């Protein structure tokens, strides 16, 4: 598994390094400076930031950053799926005998051409309760911070940061509930090909 990950990272580097070199060498910028209204009577602060950022970024560098963010999101999704797979199939599966059906399994899963191969009961342990509770709490916190920022100073960097963390904590809440409180069922189907 580590070998495949290393190969993927090398391929990403081979693609992105020349693009980054072209972005740095191209110079120039297609953006124009926009006057921002400032003063005591203005409640908006779109340039308010907690991380020092350049005031301008070229379209080429923005493309590279977008690709890096996309690859990071795909890697995060892969890690989440591996976690759900490993935790959901951690215990011993219940394997039905030929012609026998399992209790607590919906009847539509077993038909003339489909049968249940393995049934992994839900873990439903205290660890799952704590994880779901933690990410639910974080979702509420980041929703409040996002709403406070949107109805207050509306600093764009803070809006993006809080919005991203809100989306992440919501997705993790769903993932933790699915992983720890839903059974994993494997089925086999007869196919024509």
């Amino acid at each position: 598994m580590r070998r495949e990950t290393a190969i993927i990272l090398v391929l990403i580097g081979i693609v992105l390094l020349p693009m980054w070199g072209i972005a740095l060498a191209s110079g120039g910028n297609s953006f124009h400076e926009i006057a921002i209204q400032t003063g005591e009577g203005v409640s908006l602060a779109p340039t308010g930031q907690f991380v020092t950022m350049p005031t301008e970024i070229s379209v080429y560098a923005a493309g590279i950053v977008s690709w890096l963010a996309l690859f990071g999101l795909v890697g995060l999704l892969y890690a989440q799926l591996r976690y759900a797979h490993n935790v959901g199939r951690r215990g011993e599966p219940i394997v039905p005998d030929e012609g026998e059906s399992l209790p607590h399994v919906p009847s539509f899963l077993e038909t003339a051409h489909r049968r249940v191969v393995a049934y992994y009961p839900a873990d439903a342990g205290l660890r799952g309760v704590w994880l779901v509770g933690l990410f639910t709490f974080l979702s509420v916190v980041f929703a409040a911070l996002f709403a406070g920022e949107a109805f207050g100073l509306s600093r764009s960097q803070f809006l993006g940061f809080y919005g991203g963390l809100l989306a992440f904590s919501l997705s993790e809440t769903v993932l933790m509930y699915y992983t720890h409180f839903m059974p994993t069922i494997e089925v086999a189907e007869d196919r024509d090909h």
Side-chain angles (χ1 to χ4, degrees):
M1 185 55 85
R2 293 179 190 222
R3 183 177 179 199
E4 290 86 2
T5 305
I7 291 172
I8 290 172
L9 290 175
V10 167
L11 289 175
I12 290 172
I14 288 171
V15 171
L16 288 181
L17 284 176
M19 290 173 67
W20 188 260
I22 292 170
L24 292 178
S26 65
N29 202 332
S30 61
F31 298 112
H32 301 286
E33 288 191 16
I34 299 171
I36 296 174
Q37 185 180 3
T38 58
E40 293 180 15
V42 178
S43 62
L44 296 178
T47 57
Q49 56 194 19
F50 55 93
V51 176
T52 304
M53 300 286 287
T55 56
E56 291 185 351
I57 186 169
S58 70
V59 292
Y60 306 108
I64 300 296
V65 171
S66 299
W67 275 107
L68 287 173
L70 179 65
F71 286 131
L73 286 173
V74 170
L76 179 65
L77 179 63
Y78 175 76
Q80 289 178 331
L81 289 175
R82 293 291 301 167
Y83 175 80
H85 181 82
N86 291 338
V87 172
R89 291 173 172 82
R90 184 170 41 199
E92 286 294 320
I94 300 171
V95 180
D97 294 330
E98 192 66 34
E100 180 184 314
S101 62
L102 292 172
H104 310 299
V105 174
S107 60
F108 63 83
L109 285 179
E110 294 184 299
T111 64
H113 302 288
R114 182 179 9 172
R115 62 186 174 85
V116 174
V117 177
Y119 176 85
Y120 295 86
D123 179 19
L126 192 58
R127 176 182 172 193
V129 173
W130 280 107
L131 288 171
V132 170
L134 170 69
F135 285 112
T136 302
F137 173 74
L138 290 176
S139 299
V140 172
V141 168
F142 290 125
L145 289 171
F146 183 84
E149 198 65 42
F151 294 119
L153 295 175
S154 294
R155 295 168 293 190
S156 55
Q157 193 179 83
F158 285 77
L159 278 173
F161 183 72
Y162 295 146
L165 288 176
L166 172 60
F168 174 75
S169 58
L170 284 171
S171 66
E172 288 299 310
T173 302
V174 173
L175 176 73
M176 292 304 146
Y177 180 81
Y178 160 77
T179 302
H180 291 278
F181 298 103
M182 299 290 289
T184 301
I185 302 172
E186 294 180 4
V187 298
E189 289 186 312
D190 296 328
R191 299 285 180 145
D192 292 336
H193 56 279

